[in-house]
Amino acid sequence: MKWFVYNVLFAAGYAAMLPFFLNRMRRRGGYRARMGDRFGRHPAEIAARLKALRENGAKPVWIHAVSVGEVQVAGQLMRAMREVAPGVRFVFSTTSSTGWKIAEKEVSAADVLIYNPVDFPAFVNRAFAAVDPCAVILTETEIWPNFIRRVQRAGVPLYLVNARISDRSAPRYRRLRWFFGDCFRAFSRIWAQSDLDRRRILDAGGDAAAIEVSGSVKFDVARRNEAKERELRAWVGEGNVLLGGSTWPGEDELMLRAYKRALAADPALKLVIAPRHFEKADAVEANVLAAGFACRRRSRGADAPAKRPAGAAADAREVFLADTTGELMGLFGIASVAFVGKTVSAHGSQNMIEPCLCGVATVVGPNTENFRPVMSDLLASAAIDQQLDAAGVEAALAKYVADPEARRALGAKAVEAVARRRGATARIAREIAEALGMA
């Protein structure tokens, strides 16, 4: 009965959200590609490759991730599993066009990339039959009940890696443990990011014997890209760089205010803003021009001229707008001081491990719920500067621009803190490979 209720409610919710999905499709363009995948119907070439994987005597591991960060976690896990089980093959699924672009860089030529089916039984069953995996790995918070139930009914091992339960989701899971308990107990093994996440999974009906606290796998994910750093340095030019990484609406204005303040201490300072969603770049550009700066957009080409505000002098100072996908890590590599977005004007936070790995003096706002265990570790090591509001963030950014010794000291602590917490991915990869008889 509960599955009937879930399917009815999910259908109603999906229908209500359909206009949002269609609008996102329109804005992001690539979202409409491979639409058949979402109904378990793959193009002929992909269907043939999936059939070949099924028939070669070694079934694939199906790994699923959604956001950019989760896709990178999955990619790191795949690399670690290939080291202990070189013959392993993966079917990688995601649900967003942004996740797809990153996933294309993570899969090998022997793997297959698909969109995950919508969580209706008919679509899930069709996709599962096409993939026919030997194991399924989900990342972080990907709890799709019909999909999980199908994996369990097939007797296929199911794993949840880097598991976390957000503050907003925890009460809902606890209230509905009569339903979600079945989902969490279907996992053969769950690796939780923190003791709090483990407790929340237990409150939702999870099996204590199956849950281990591994720490955040994201400490293993970040990797510097020196070639990309050189390319971006050539685009920005020499001098210290103040970076707003993965900013949300409202945070680009914060960065512009901080920049004006910091220029008094460093007139040669460069400002780079990398918005989280590139389709919002036009609005960011408008804010840059309104602040009196010229705007040089990465998407228009490295040599494209900057757009200047009306009446501005030919030598108006430029702000660099990084409205491209997959270059944020390179930007952190050339930054002197960085702000991590979705921590002031929105809740949740983006990944602060990346600038810390690069030794950047990193400032965040108060809203870091999605990275609670990571922030706990970094704050305990005095490796990151967290401020309570926008004014505090602006002041902190200006302080680190003006004080080279302070930013070097904070950056050094950040590098050390990240290095001490690496290694979870390799341990998890070996445990999965050994459980599947692949190691």
CSV table of all heavy atoms in Angstrom, one decimal, residues 234-275:
chain,number,residue,atom,x,y,z
A,234,ALA,N,47.0,33.4,-17.9
A,234,ALA,CA,47.3,34.2,-19.1
A,234,ALA,C,46.0,35.0,-19.4
A,234,ALA,O,46.1,36.2,-20.0
A,234,ALA,CB,47.6,33.3,-20.3
A,235,TRP,N,44.8,34.5,-19.1
A,235,TRP,CA,43.6,35.3,-19.4
A,235,TRP,C,43.5,36.5,-18.4
A,235,TRP,O,43.1,37.6,-18.8
A,235,TRP,CB,42.4,34.3,-19.2
A,235,TRP,CG,41.0,35.0,-19.4
A,235,TRP,CD1,40.6,35.7,-20.5
A,235,TRP,CD2,40.0,34.9,-18.4
A,235,TRP,NE1,39.3,36.1,-20.2
A,235,TRP,CE2,38.9,35.6,-19.0
A,235,TRP,CE3,39.8,34.3,-17.2
A,235,TRP,CZ2,37.7,35.8,-18.4
A,235,TRP,CZ3,38.6,34.5,-16.5
A,235,TRP,CH2,37.5,35.2,-17.1
A,236,VAL,N,43.7,36.2,-17.2
A,236,VAL,CA,43.6,37.3,-16.1
A,236,VAL,C,44.7,38.2,-16.1
A,236,VAL,O,44.6,39.4,-15.9
A,236,VAL,CB,43.4,36.6,-14.7
A,236,VAL,CG1,43.4,37.6,-13.6
A,236,VAL,CG2,42.1,35.8,-14.7
A,237,GLY,N,45.9,37.7,-16.3
A,237,GLY,CA,47.1,38.6,-16.2
A,237,GLY,C,47.8,38.5,-14.9
A,237,GLY,O,47.3,37.8,-14.0
A,238,GLU,N,48.9,39.2,-14.7
A,238,GLU,CA,49.7,39.1,-13.5
A,238,GLU,C,49.0,39.9,-12.4
A,238,GLU,O,48.2,40.8,-12.6
A,238,GLU,CB,51.1,39.6,-13.7
A,238,GLU,CG,51.9,38.7,-14.7
A,238,GLU,CD,51.9,37.2,-14.2
A,238,GLU,OE1,52.2,37.0,-13.0
A,238,GLU,OE2,51.7,36.3,-15.0
A,239,GLY,N,49.4,39.6,-11.1
A,239,GLY,CA,48.8,40.3,-10.0
A,239,GLY,C,48.0,39.4,-9.1
A,239,GLY,O,47.7,38.3,-9.5
A,240,ASN,N,47.7,39.9,-7.9
A,240,ASN,CA,46.9,39.1,-7.0
A,240,ASN,C,45.5,39.0,-7.5
A,240,ASN,O,45.0,40.0,-8.2
A,240,ASN,CB,46.9,39.8,-5.6
A,240,ASN,CG,48.2,39.7,-4.9
A,240,ASN,OD1,48.9,38.6,-5.0
A,240,ASN,ND2,48.6,40.7,-4.2
A,241,VAL,N,44.8,37.9,-7.2
A,241,VAL,CA,43.5,37.6,-7.7
A,241,VAL,C,42.5,37.5,-6.5
A,241,VAL,O,42.8,36.6,-5.6
A,241,VAL,CB,43.4,36.4,-8.6
A,241,VAL,CG1,42.0,36.0,-8.9
A,241,VAL,CG2,44.2,36.6,-9.8
A,242,LEU,N,41.4,38.2,-6.5
A,242,LEU,CA,40.3,38.0,-5.5
A,242,LEU,C,39.3,37.3,-6.3
A,242,LEU,O,38.8,37.7,-7.3
A,242,LEU,CB,39.8,39.4,-5.1
A,242,LEU,CG,38.6,39.4,-4.2
A,242,LEU,CD1,38.8,38.6,-2.9
A,242,LEU,CD2,38.1,40.8,-3.9
A,243,LEU,N,38.9,36.1,-5.8
A,243,LEU,CA,37.9,35.2,-6.5
A,243,LEU,C,36.7,35.0,-5.7
A,243,LEU,O,36.7,34.7,-4.5
A,243,LEU,CB,38.6,33.9,-6.8
A,243,LEU,CG,37.7,32.8,-7.3
A,243,LEU,CD1,37.2,33.1,-8.7
A,243,LEU,CD2,38.5,31.4,-7.4
A,244,GLY,N,35.5,35.2,-6.4
A,244,GLY,CA,34.2,34.7,-5.9
A,244,GLY,C,33.9,33.4,-6.6
A,244,GLY,O,33.5,33.4,-7.8
A,245,GLY,N,34.0,32.3,-5.9
A,245,GLY,CA,33.8,31.0,-6.5
A,245,GLY,C,32.4,30.4,-6.3
A,245,GLY,O,31.9,30.4,-5.1
A,246,SER,N,31.7,30.1,-7.3
A,246,SER,CA,30.4,29.5,-7.3
A,246,SER,C,29.4,30.4,-6.6
A,246,SER,O,28.7,30.0,-5.7
A,246,SER,CB,30.4,28.1,-6.6
A,246,SER,OG,31.0,27.1,-7.4
A,247,THR,N,29.4,31.7,-7.0
A,247,THR,CA,28.5,32.7,-6.3
A,247,THR,C,27.1,32.5,-6.7
A,247,THR,O,26.8,32.0,-7.8
A,247,THR,CB,29.0,34.1,-6.7
A,247,THR,OG1,29.0,34.3,-8.1
A,247,THR,CG2,30.4,34.4,-6.1
A,248,TRP,N,26.2,32.9,-5.8
A,248,TRP,CA,24.8,32.9,-6.1
A,248,TRP,C,24.3,34.3,-6.2
A,248,TRP,O,25.0,35.2,-5.8
A,248,TRP,CB,24.1,32.1,-4.9
A,248,TRP,CG,24.2,30.6,-5.1
A,248,TRP,CD1,25.4,29.9,-5.1
A,248,TRP,CD2,23.1,29.7,-5.3
A,248,TRP,NE1,25.1,28.6,-5.3
A,248,TRP,CE2,23.8,28.4,-5.4
A,248,TRP,CE3,21.8,29.7,-5.3
A,248,TRP,CZ2,23.0,27.2,-5.6
A,248,TRP,CZ3,21.0,28.6,-5.5
A,248,TRP,CH2,21.7,27.3,-5.7
A,249,PRO,N,23.1,34.5,-6.7
A,249,PRO,CA,22.6,35.9,-6.9
A,249,PRO,C,22.7,36.6,-5.5
A,249,PRO,O,22.3,36.2,-4.5
A,249,PRO,CB,21.1,35.7,-7.3
A,249,PRO,CG,21.1,34.4,-8.0
A,249,PRO,CD,22.1,33.5,-7.3
A,250,GLY,N,23.2,37.8,-5.6
A,250,GLY,CA,23.5,38.7,-4.5
A,250,GLY,C,24.9,38.6,-4.0
A,250,GLY,O,25.4,39.6,-3.4
A,251,GLU,N,25.6,37.5,-4.3
A,251,GLU,CA,27.0,37.4,-3.8
A,251,GLU,C,27.9,38.1,-4.8
A,251,GLU,O,29.1,38.4,-4.4
A,251,GLU,CB,27.3,36.0,-3.6
A,251,GLU,CG,26.5,35.4,-2.4
A,251,GLU,CD,26.7,33.9,-2.2
A,251,GLU,OE1,27.1,33.2,-3.1
A,251,GLU,OE2,26.4,33.4,-1.0
A,252,ASP,N,27.5,38.3,-6.0
A,252,ASP,CA,28.4,39.0,-7.0
A,252,ASP,C,28.5,40.5,-6.6
A,252,ASP,O,29.5,41.1,-6.6
A,252,ASP,CB,27.9,38.8,-8.4
A,252,ASP,CG,26.5,39.1,-8.6
A,252,ASP,OD1,25.7,38.7,-7.8
A,252,ASP,OD2,26.1,39.8,-9.6
A,253,GLU,N,27.3,41.0,-6.1
A,253,GLU,CA,27.4,42.4,-5.6
A,253,GLU,C,28.3,42.5,-4.3
A,253,GLU,O,29.0,43.5,-4.2
A,253,GLU,CB,26.0,42.9,-5.2
A,253,GLU,CG,25.0,43.0,-6.4
A,253,GLU,CD,24.1,41.8,-6.5
A,253,GLU,OE1,24.6,40.7,-6.3
A,253,GLU,OE2,22.9,42.1,-6.9
A,254,LEU,N,28.2,41.5,-3.5
A,254,LEU,CA,29.1,41.4,-2.3
A,254,LEU,C,30.6,41.5,-2.8
A,254,LEU,O,31.4,42.2,-2.2
A,254,LEU,CB,28.9,40.2,-1.5
A,254,LEU,CG,29.7,39.9,-0.2
A,254,LEU,CD1,28.9,38.9,0.6
A,254,LEU,CD2,31.0,39.3,-0.5
A,255,MET,N,30.9,40.7,-3.8
A,255,MET,CA,32.3,40.7,-4.3
A,255,MET,C,32.7,42.0,-4.9
A,255,MET,O,33.9,42.5,-4.7
A,255,MET,CB,32.5,39.5,-5.3
A,255,MET,CG,32.3,38.1,-4.8
A,255,MET,SD,33.4,37.8,-3.4
A,255,MET,CE,35.0,38.0,-4.1
A,256,LEU,N,31.8,42.7,-5.6
A,256,LEU,CA,32.1,44.0,-6.1
A,256,LEU,C,32.4,45.0,-5.0
A,256,LEU,O,33.3,45.8,-5.2
A,256,LEU,CB,31.0,44.4,-7.0
A,256,LEU,CG,30.9,43.6,-8.4
A,256,LEU,CD1,29.5,43.8,-9.0
A,256,LEU,CD2,32.0,44.0,-9.3
A,257,ARG,N,31.6,45.0,-4.0
A,257,ARG,CA,31.8,45.9,-2.9
A,257,ARG,C,33.2,45.6,-2.2
A,257,ARG,O,33.9,46.5,-1.9
A,257,ARG,CB,30.7,45.8,-1.8
A,257,ARG,CG,29.4,46.3,-2.3
A,257,ARG,CD,28.4,46.4,-1.2
A,257,ARG,NE,28.1,45.2,-0.5
A,257,ARG,CZ,27.1,44.3,-0.8
A,257,ARG,NH1,26.3,44.6,-1.8
A,257,ARG,NH2,27.0,43.2,-0.1
A,258,ALA,N,33.5,44.3,-2.0
A,258,ALA,CA,34.7,43.9,-1.4
A,258,ALA,C,35.9,44.4,-2.2
A,258,ALA,O,37.0,44.8,-1.7
A,258,ALA,CB,34.8,42.4,-1.1
A,259,TYR,N,35.7,44.2,-3.5
A,259,TYR,CA,36.8,44.6,-4.5
A,259,TYR,C,37.1,46.1,-4.4
A,259,TYR,O,38.3,46.5,-4.3
A,259,TYR,CB,36.4,44.2,-5.9
A,259,TYR,CG,37.4,44.5,-7.0
A,259,TYR,CD1,38.7,44.1,-6.8
A,259,TYR,CD2,37.0,45.1,-8.2
A,259,TYR,CE1,39.6,44.3,-7.8
A,259,TYR,CE2,37.9,45.3,-9.2
A,259,TYR,CZ,39.2,44.9,-9.0
A,259,TYR,OH,40.2,45.1,-10.0
A,260,LYS,N,36.1,46.9,-4.4
A,260,LYS,CA,36.3,48.4,-4.3
A,260,LYS,C,37.0,48.7,-3.0
A,260,LYS,O,37.9,49.6,-3.0
A,260,LYS,CB,34.9,49.1,-4.3
A,260,LYS,CG,34.3,49.1,-5.7
A,260,LYS,CD,33.0,49.8,-5.7
A,260,LYS,CE,32.3,49.9,-7.1
A,260,LYS,NZ,31.0,50.6,-7.1
A,261,ARG,N,36.7,48.0,-2.0
A,261,ARG,CA,37.3,48.2,-0.7
A,261,ARG,C,38.8,47.8,-0.7
A,261,ARG,O,39.7,48.5,-0.1
A,261,ARG,CB,36.5,47.5,0.4
A,261,ARG,CG,36.9,47.7,1.8
A,261,ARG,CD,35.9,47.1,2.7
A,261,ARG,NE,36.2,47.2,4.1
A,261,ARG,CZ,35.4,46.8,5.1
A,261,ARG,NH1,34.2,46.3,4.8
A,261,ARG,NH2,35.8,46.9,6.4
A,262,ALA,N,39.0,46.6,-1.3
A,262,ALA,CA,40.4,46.1,-1.3
A,262,ALA,C,41.4,46.8,-2.2
A,262,ALA,O,42.6,46.7,-2.0
A,262,ALA,CB,40.3,44.6,-1.7
A,263,LEU,N,40.8,47.5,-3.2
A,263,LEU,CA,41.7,48.2,-4.2
A,263,LEU,C,42.6,49.3,-3.5
A,263,LEU,O,43.7,49.6,-4.0
A,263,LEU,CB,40.9,48.8,-5.3
A,263,LEU,CG,40.4,47.9,-6.4
A,263,LEU,CD1,39.4,48.6,-7.3
A,263,LEU,CD2,41.6,47.3,-7.2
A,264,ALA,N,42.1,49.8,-2.4
A,264,ALA,CA,42.9,50.8,-1.7
A,264,ALA,C,44.2,50.2,-1.2
A,264,ALA,O,45.2,50.9,-1.2
A,264,ALA,CB,42.1,51.3,-0.5
A,265,ALA,N,44.2,48.9,-0.9
A,265,ALA,CA,45.4,48.3,-0.4
A,265,ALA,C,46.3,47.7,-1.5
A,265,ALA,O,47.5,47.6,-1.4
A,265,ALA,CB,45.1,47.2,0.6
A,266,ASP,N,45.6,47.3,-2.6
A,266,ASP,CA,46.3,46.7,-3.7
A,266,ASP,C,45.7,47.2,-5.0
A,266,ASP,O,44.8,46.5,-5.6
A,266,ASP,CB,46.2,45.1,-3.6
A,266,ASP,CG,47.0,44.4,-4.7
A,266,ASP,OD1,47.6,45.1,-5.6
A,266,ASP,OD2,47.1,43.2,-4.7
A,267,PRO,N,46.2,48.3,-5.6
A,267,PRO,CA,45.6,48.8,-6.8
A,267,PRO,C,45.7,47.9,-8.0
A,267,PRO,O,44.9,48.1,-9.0
A,267,PRO,CB,46.4,50.1,-7.0
A,267,PRO,CG,46.9,50.5,-5.7
A,267,PRO,CD,47.2,49.1,-5.0
A,268,ALA,N,46.6,46.9,-8.0
A,268,ALA,CA,46.8,46.0,-9.1
A,268,ALA,C,45.9,44.8,-9.0
A,268,ALA,O,46.0,43.9,-9.8
A,268,ALA,CB,48.2,45.6,-9.3
A,269,LEU,N,45.1,44.7,-7.9
A,269,LEU,CA,44.3,43.5,-7.7
A,269,LEU,C,43.3,43.2,-8.8
A,269,LEU,O,42.7,44.1,-9.4
A,269,LEU,CB,43.5,43.7,-6.4
A,269,LEU,CG,42.6,42.6,-5.9
A,269,LEU,CD1,43.5,41.4,-5.4
A,269,LEU,CD2,41.7,43.1,-4.7
A,270,LYS,N,43.1,41.9,-9.2
A,270,LYS,CA,42.2,41.5,-10.2
A,270,LYS,C,41.0,40.8,-9.5
A,270,LYS,O,41.2,40.1,-8.5
A,270,LYS,CB,42.8,40.5,-11.1
A,270,LYS,CG,44.1,40.9,-11.8
A,270,LYS,CD,43.9,42.1,-12.7
A,270,LYS,CE,45.2,42.6,-13.3
A,270,LYS,NZ,45.8,41.6,-14.2
A,271,LEU,N,39.8,41.1,-9.9
A,271,LEU,CA,38.6,40.4,-9.4
A,271,LEU,C,38.0,39.4,-10.5
A,271,LEU,O,37.8,39.8,-11.6
A,271,LEU,CB,37.5,41.4,-9.1
A,271,LEU,CG,36.1,40.8,-8.7
A,271,LEU,CD1,36.3,39.9,-7.4
A,271,LEU,CD2,35.1,41.9,-8.5
A,272,VAL,N,37.8,38.2,-10.0
A,272,VAL,CA,37.2,37.2,-10.9
A,272,VAL,C,35.9,36.7,-10.2
A,272,VAL,O,36.0,36.3,-9.0
A,272,VAL,CB,38.2,36.0,-11.2
A,272,VAL,CG1,37.4,34.9,-12.0
A,272,VAL,CG2,39.5,36.4,-11.8
A,273,ILE,N,34.8,36.7,-10.9
A,273,ILE,CA,33.6,36.1,-10.4
A,273,ILE,C,33.2,34.9,-11.2
A,273,ILE,O,33.1,35.0,-12.4
A,273,ILE,CB,32.5,37.2,-10.4
A,273,ILE,CG1,32.8,38.4,-9.6
A,273,ILE,CG2,31.1,36.6,-9.9
A,273,ILE,CD1,31.8,39.5,-9.6
A,274,ALA,N,33.0,33.8,-10.5
A,274,ALA,CA,32.6,32.6,-11.2
A,274,ALA,C,31.2,32.2,-10.7
A,274,ALA,O,31.1,31.5,-9.6
A,274,ALA,CB,33.6,31.4,-11.0
A,275,PRO,N,30.1,32.6,-11.3
A,275,PRO,CA,28.8,32.2,-10.8
A,275,PRO,C,28.5,30.7,-10.9
A,275,PRO,O,29.0,30.0,-11.8
A,275,PRO,CB,27.8,33.0,-11.7
A,275,PRO,CG,28.6,33.2,-13.0
A,275,PRO,CD,30.1,33.3,-12.6
